[in-house]
Amino acid sequence: MRFTAATLATLAVVASALPTDVHYEAPKGGWESVDYPEGTGANLHEYPPPPGGWASVDYSKTGAGAAPAKCPEAPKMAGSPFTFTSYYEVKAVPGEVVNGTTPTGGLAGASGLFKIGLNSELNLICYNIEIYGFRGEYSSPAATATHIHEAAKGASGPPRIAFPNPVDVGNDVRRSVGCQQGPFKTGLMANGQDTATGFHVSQIEKNPAGFFADTHSSLAVPGAVRGQLA
C-alpha cells in the first residue's frame, strides 16, 4: 500500500491527538481492597517470617540454600590409553648403528629421542619421537623407516613395531606422535609372515635391553640413529 503526503499528514494529526498519559481509576474501596490470589506476593515489602522466626530454619535440609555436598572424585577410566605399565626414553645416536654386528657410523650429525609408553594390558604403545639433523630420504623395506627392532646391543634384528616416519616441524626437527594397538604390522615379510605377527608389547617389558629404536635414511640405510630401550 502506498501513502500520499495528505494521508501521512492526516495520520500525524490523529496520532498527536492520542492521550500520552493514561490514568487508571482506583476500584471501589481503593487498591488495598483487591483480593490478590495467594502466592503472587502482592503488596509484600518483605516475606513474612515462618513460625518460629527465620532463625528456626534449618538450611542444611533445603535445596538451593543447602551447603553443597562434596563432589565425588571422577572415576579413573579403566584401560585408559594414557595409563602406562612402563615408560622408556631412548636417546638414539649414529654410533650405535650396526649392519649385522659391524658398526656403520650411522648418519653423522643426526640424533633422536624416542619417548615410549606401553600398556601391556591393552597391547598398546604410545610414542613421541623427535629426530634431529636428519638428511636424505626415509629408506626401508618395511612399511615405514622408523621402528622398534628386536635385538641386543651391537646386533641386528627384525622390526616388531613400525612407527609413522617423523615429519619436518622446523628448526631441523622431525616429529612423530601417536599410539598403536596390536595386532601390529611392519610390512616386512620373513619366513612367509609379517615380522610383527604375534608380537605383544609385554615382550618389551620382559626384556627391554633386547630391543632398540631407530630410523633409516637413504644416506644410511642400515640406520641413521639407534638406541637400546635399556
Side-chain angles (χ1 to χ4, degrees):
M1 178 182 294
R2 297 183 62 186
F3 294 97
T4 64
T7 303
L8 292 174
T10 301
L11 290 174
V13 171
V14 172
S16 64
L18 293 174
T20 57
D21 183 16
V22 179
H23 179 71
Y24 294 97
E25 295 292 334
K28 290 183 178 180
W31 292 111
E32 293 78 7
S33 66
V34 177
D35 184 11
Y36 293 97
E38 290 186 7
T40 62
N43 295 330
L44 291 180
H45 301 292
E46 60 183 20
Y47 290 101
W54 292 113
S56 67
V57 178
D58 185 358
Y59 291 98
S60 66
K61 296 181 180 179
T62 62
K70 183 179 179 181
C71 295
E73 294 184 4
K76 293 183 178 179
M77 294 176 61
S80 166
F82 300 104
T83 299
F84 301 128
T85 51
S86 60
Y87 175 77
Y88 308 88
E89 282 197 13
V90 181
K91 294 181 179 179
V93 296
E96 294 290 322
V97 178
V98 297
N99 185 9
T101 57
T102 303
T104 68
L107 183 63
S111 63
L113 179 61
F114 291 71
K115 297 179 180 180
I116 297 170
L118 304 180
N119 185 320
S120 56
E121 296 175 1
L122 297 176
N123 197 19
L124 181 82
I125 182 169
C126 293
Y127 52 89
N128 185 336
I129 303 168
E130 289 190 345
I131 305 297
Y132 314 103
F134 186 89
R135 303 186 308 281
E137 303 296 328
Y138 289 113
S139 178
S140 171
T144 72
T146 307
H147 315 123
I148 287 181
H149 294 254
E150 184 172 5
K153 185 175 182 178
S156 297
R160 301 302 190 194
I161 300 288
F163 299 113
N165 292 322
V167 298
D168 190 351
V169 294
N171 297 320
D172 209 19
V173 177
R174 299 189 181 208
R175 182 178 297 129
S176 180
V177 179
C179 294
Q180 296 181 28
Q181 187 173 27
F184 303 104
K185 187 175 182 179
T186 66
L188 181 64
M189 304 298 290
N191 301 319
Q193 62 182 8
D194 191 278
T195 59
T197 299
F199 181 75
H200 197 285
V201 298
S202 61
Q203 295 172 240
I204 296 176
E205 293 184 326
K206 291 175 182 177
N207 181 29
F211 292 86
F212 68 87
D214 73 352
T215 192
H216 303 258
S217 166
S218 58
L219 302 180
V221 176
V225 294
R226 166 178 168 161
Q228 295 297 127
L229 269 64

